[in-house]
Amino acid sequence: MEITVMKDRQIEFIGYDLGHGETAIGRAHSGSHREPEILEYHGERTFVSAVAKTGREVRIGADAVNIAALSPRKIGAKQQIWVKFKSRDLTQSDVKIPTQLFTKTLFKGLTEEAQIQGPSKSRFIVGCPSGWSGDDREIYADVFREAGLKTCRVVPESRAALMTALEQGYLSLQAARDSVLIVDIGSSTTDFTYCRDMNAEDVGHNFLGSGLLDRLIFDRNLARQKSRKQIEKLIAAYPQYQPIMEYWCRLAKEEYFNGTDVPVEMIRRLPVAGGVYFEIRIDKTDADAILSMPIKALNGYNWPDAFDFALRETLEALGERAPETVLLTGGASRLPLIAPATKRAFADSTVVRGAEPEFAIARGLAWLGRFEYLHAAFKAAVTELTDPGGEVRLIARDAGDDLGDLLAPALVDALIEYCVIPVFQDWRRGDIARLNDVELVLQERVRSWLVSEQARDALRPVIDEWFARLQRNIEKVTDPLCRDHGLPAMVLSLDDSAHISRHLEGLSVGSPQLANLEQDTAIAGTTISAILIGVILAKAQLLVPLMAHPLTFIIAAGAGVGSIVFGRKALEGKMRSARIPVLARRMMTDKRLKRAAAEHRTELIGAVQTAWSGNASEKVHADLTETLQRALIERTDERAVLFLI
């Protein structure tokens, strides 16, 4: 599916997984939802992180560790070779120099091969261990910018691994939101990252890299070489050749452990006068011996025991936060001992690993770059809708005006039935002494009723209808916007199976707050109930015509001569404060009360509507705009995962 965010050109996102042992490159485009592809460098999808420099000539990858590719005259003290140079300590020249040389050469080559747009045009997302701080990441990014990557951002590799797991479907969105422990096993480190609700937390990292096994394989094979002394002299004179030989041992290791215990043999020629060969062999006996060897860097533990210990230590550190899922990533996660050990340690968790864990980070980085770009563009467009002059803001203004018109009839009818008549019934029975007291009691009864379940039930149909109309009007604006950004229509709908009940509950008069559309929390501290109380008791003066009618009736029926002596207004004043006999009160029947209320119904509705059209409408418009903006942005963030599909 193509999207129209970029109409002038496709933006290219390059996921740069520069590993301590190997490197992989992923690529994604802004206008496509295809899975990020893995680029090849000189025919290899993953290539060793190595640099060889002789004079001005720079070789990387297999060329840097292929002695046969270098002419004899170039073998000498002036030649520099870097292998396994990734580190956060960029103050060291043997880290920064090879990092920049490798980067420049790699992306120059990919540009010349027309595989990428180029360092100045492509957008680069570079991975780093989860334990690196924000300052570490920014310094690291500066190194790559100096190397020519104009637009570069460094992000934790755990985020990339999570993205790939979601994209490829071996981790559901619900599982990702629950809790995931990402175990990223590289050549130099193993990183543990705990994720809950898509938020990552570094919970440990160590030097338990699979590269330690490469060194053991090298030592074991060196010990049985026929030309061992000559090889050791070569390494003493030219130390750069030992990491090359360790790399060859790594290739043998991967071939053996990714196979079915079939012995692996390799022969490589070394540049020693007369020709010397370095023979590498791994069989089951070798593998068992290597995996059981104590390793000084691991405090004397062998590699499997150290891995078991690291898993148990992580589980203990998490305590009651044991993960629902454990995600294995990194090329070394293919080692056959990894999955069984993880399942033993996390017996109550689901352990998953993708089909190509060595590409999980590169793909995820490219995917993350595209995802965040599309999400930011979409979010900016949504924000414009609620900015001054935005269409949603205008819709909110009309909706605020309409709500008063819709509420007034239902509100007046309900107040008469549940407040006015019951209060006059109390007065008629003598439970309320004076008519002046009736006014006070009625005001308090109205105030209490407006926040009651009864008010909720009486006014909810009106609010439901109002909200449904508001929703349809908003969707007329948001649906085309979603389609323009390559998303299904209704992505920003305020009504779906997961949220509609909360929307309507939030808008209920009886709920504590008006309309957070997502949660039952306040919008600027304003409630519909508070607004209605202000309108009814202060501005609409709902009680005035109702109070006048029973007074007129009582004066006409029971005051007699008093109205002539004192005058009507004076008598009304006396009547308000007088204790009218219960017998006279009984003449105020329910039927007469209802008829009086009916006569004034239109006047009362108009009073509420008029009062609402002032400050009440403005307040609802302001609060509704703020609420809609928050709800739409929250929905935008929630639905951001759709860019991953």
Side-chain angles (χ1 to χ4, degrees):
M1 175 173 60
E2 298 302 310
I3 64 175
T4 58
V5 176
M6 285 299 301
K7 297 182 179 179
D8 51 348
R9 68 176 180 86
Q10 292 288 307
I11 293 183
E12 181 178 72
F13 302 96
I14 303 298
Y16 186 15
D17 180 20
L18 173 60
H20 196 66
E22 289 185 331
T23 294
I25 305 296
R27 180 180 65 181
H29 291 97
S30 61
S32 171
H33 287 290
R34 293 181 58 191
E35 179 177 293
E37 56 192 332
I38 300 299
L39 303 182
E40 293 183 356
Y41 182 77
H42 290 187
E44 294 183 323
R45 300 174 78 202
T46 61
F47 38 94
V48 61
S49 300
V51 182
K53 185 176 186 296
T54 306
R56 294 184 178 180
E57 184 179 5
V58 178
R59 294 174 180 266
I60 67 171
D63 291 343
V65 293
N66 185 359
I67 294 176
L70 302 174
S71 62
R73 66 181 179 82
K74 293 181 180 177
I75 304 296
K78 292 184 178 180
Q79 185 184 57
Q80 293 176 285
I81 297 177
W82 295 272
V83 179
K84 299 181 180 179
F85 51 80
K86 183 177 180 179
S87 170
R88 76 172 77 187
D89 191 357
L90 293 163
T91 59
Q92 297 183 15
S93 60
D94 59 352
V95 174
K96 183 174 182 179
I97 291 174
T99 298
Q100 293 188 326
L101 286 174
F102 186 87
T103 299
K104 289 179 180 179
T105 305
L106 171 61
F107 292 112
K108 178 182 179 183
L110 291 176
T111 304
E112 291 174 349
E113 294 172 1
Q115 291 198 66
I116 67 171
Q117 294 174 359
S120 63
K121 297 180 180 178
S122 305
R123 298 192 183 186
F124 295 87
I125 304 91
V126 183
C128 73
S130 300
W132 287 21
S133 68
D135 290 340
D136 290 333
R137 293 198 295 269
E138 190 56 33
I139 293 171
Y140 201 48
D142 286 339
V143 169
F144 293 110
R145 295 184 188 113
E146 291 175 11
L149 307 188
K150 183 177 179 181
T151 303
C152 172
R153 198 161 61 88
V154 176
V155 301
E157 291 160 352
S158 58
R159 291 189 63 198
L162 204 58
M163 284 287 181
T164 296
L166 285 168
E167 173 194 19
Q168 295 186 330
Y170 52 88
L171 188 67
S172 69
L173 179 59
Q174 185 57 50
R177 284 178 169 167
D178 287 342
S179 59
V180 181
L181 176 67
I182 301 174
V183 183
D184 184 14
I185 310 167
S187 62
S188 62
T189 63
T190 294
D191 296 322
F192 297 90
T193 306
Y194 184 79
C195 299
R196 187 169 188 87
D197 201 22
M198 309 291 279
N199 294 315
E201 171 192 351
D202 175 37
V203 291
H205 52 279
N206 52 47
F207 298 104
L208 187 61
S210 65
L212 294 172
L213 298 176
D214 304 343
R215 179 60 184 267
L216 294 180
I217 296 171
F218 167 75
D219 290 341
R220 186 174 178 82
N221 279 276
L222 177 62
R224 58 192 179 200
Q225 297 296 313
K226 295 178 182 179
S227 304
R228 177 178 177 178
K229 291 184 178 180
Q230 289 175 284
I231 295 173
E232 289 176 338
K233 287 181 180 180
L234 175 68
I235 294 173
Y238 306 109
Q240 63 265 32
Y241 290 118
Q242 180 169 329
I244 292 177
M245 286 183 273
E246 289 182 13
Y247 168 69
W248 294 337
C249 292
R250 176 181 179 177
L251 297 179
K253 175 197 70 178
E254 292 175 351
E255 184 176 342
Y256 176 81
F257 284 113
N258 293 339
T260 55
D261 291 337
V262 176
V264 172
E265 294 184 354
M266 292 183 180
I267 300 177
R268 294 291 189 269
R269 185 179 183 278
L270 294 172
V272 178
V276 170
Y277 293 92
F278 184 64
E279 299 179 11
I280 305 168
R281 185 184 76 243
I282 302 180
D283 56 22
K284 189 176 187 309
T285 301
D286 292 319
D288 291 343
I290 289 166
L291 293 176
S292 63
M293 285 182 182
I295 302 174
K296 184 177 180 181
L298 300 179
N299 295 321
Y301 287 95
N302 62 45
W303 205 96
D305 287 347
F307 185 69
D308 288 340
F309 179 80
L311 291 173
R312 291 195 303 271
E313 187 178 47
T314 301
L315 182 60
E316 291 174 4
L318 290 173
E320 297 180 356
R321 300 188 301 161
E324 297 287 335
T325 306
V326 179
L327 172 62
L328 300 175
T329 189
S333 65
R334 288 179 176 273
L335 291 172
L337 64 92
I338 298 299
T342 307
K343 290 178 180 178
R344 286 194 303 270
F346 293 89
D348 297 328
S349 305
T350 301
V351 179
V352 297
R353 191 198 73 194
E356 295 181 311
E358 63 270 34
F359 299 128
I361 304 302
R363 278 201 175 98
L365 292 169
W367 199 16
L368 186 63
R370 178 176 67 190
F371 159 74
E372 292 185 339
Y373 166 76
L374 295 178
H375 179 216
F378 184 49
K379 195 169 184 176
V382 171
T383 300
E384 286 183 7
L385 295 178
T386 50
D387 284 343
E391 292 181 81
V392 167
R393 184 179 287 267
L394 299 178
I395 291 171
R397 177 172 293 282
D398 292 340
D401 294 339
D402 292 344
L403 182 57
D405 293 340
L406 292 171
L407 278 177
L411 180 64
V412 167
D413 292 343
L415 287 173
I416 289 171
E417 179 179 357
Y418 296 116
C419 297
V420 174
I421 291 178
V423 167
F424 274 106
Q425 288 172 336
D426 291 345
W427 174 78
R428 185 176 61 197
R429 288 193 301 268
D431 295 339
I432 300 175
R434 300 174 179 82
L435 284 170
N436 279 343
D437 298 331
V438 168
E439 292 188 61
L440 298 176
V441 172
L442 184 54
Q443 289 187 33
E444 187 56 38
R445 183 73 60 88
V446 168
R447 190 184 304 275
S448 298
W449 181 84
L450 282 170
V451 295
S452 69
E453 291 291 331
Q454 200 173 52
R456 180 196 302 263
D457 295 339
L459 299 181
R460 182 164 185 156
V462 175
I463 295 177
D464 285 356
E465 178 185 350
W466 169 79
F467 180 80
R469 184 186 305 171
L470 169 66
Q471 178 179 294
R472 289 192 297 271
N473 290 335
I474 290 175
E475 286 169 359
K476 290 177 183 177
V477 175
T478 58
D479 283 359
L481 178 66
C482 293
R483 287 191 290 266
D484 285 347
H485 285 75
L487 295 174
M490 303 295 286
V491 163
L492 292 178
S493 172
L494 299 177
D495 178 10
D496 63 26
S497 59
H499 296 274
I500 182 60
S501 61
R502 281 186 288 165
H503 294 160
L504 297 181
E505 181 180 353
L507 284 168
S508 298
V509 177
S511 73
Q513 329 218 299
L514 165 72
N516 181 330
L517 302 184
E518 292 297 333
Q519 302 172 9
D520 206 8
T521 55
I523 111 174
T526 301
T527 66
I528 285 182
S529 301
I531 293 174
L532 290 177
I533 289 170
V535 168
I536 293 167
L537 301 182
K539 298 184 179 180
Q541 297 182 337
L542 175 68
L543 308 180
V544 172
L546 292 177
M547 290 301 298
H549 189 89
L551 280 171
T552 301
F553 177 84
I554 291 168
I555 290 169
V561 178
S563 62
I564 299 173
V565 176
F566 296 104
R568 184 182 182 88
K569 289 185 178 181
L571 187 57
E572 287 181 1
K574 291 179 177 294
M575 285 291 184
R576 284 180 181 274
S577 60
R579 290 180 175 270
I580 298 173
V582 173
L583 183 64
R585 300 185 192 194
R586 288 176 180 173
M587 301 179 69
M588 287 292 296
T589 64
D590 289 350
K591 184 176 180 180
R592 288 176 174 175
L593 282 171
K594 290 178 180 179
R595 184 170 64 245
E599 290 174 0
H600 291 282
R601 181 176 183 271
T602 301
E603 179 184 353
L604 295 172
I605 291 172
V608 173
Q609 290 173 333
T610 299
W612 183 274
S613 64
N615 292 336
S617 177
E618 286 298 322
K619 183 60 178 173
V620 168
H621 166 246
D623 291 345
L624 182 59
T625 299
E626 180 182 339
T627 298
L628 288 172
Q629 183 174 37
R630 183 169 57 248
L632 289 174
I633 292 300
E634 287 176 0
R635 185 57 53 88
T636 300
D637 291 339
E638 273 186 9
R639 298 305 191 259
V641 73
L642 293 177
F643 287 118
L644 309 180
I645 298 175

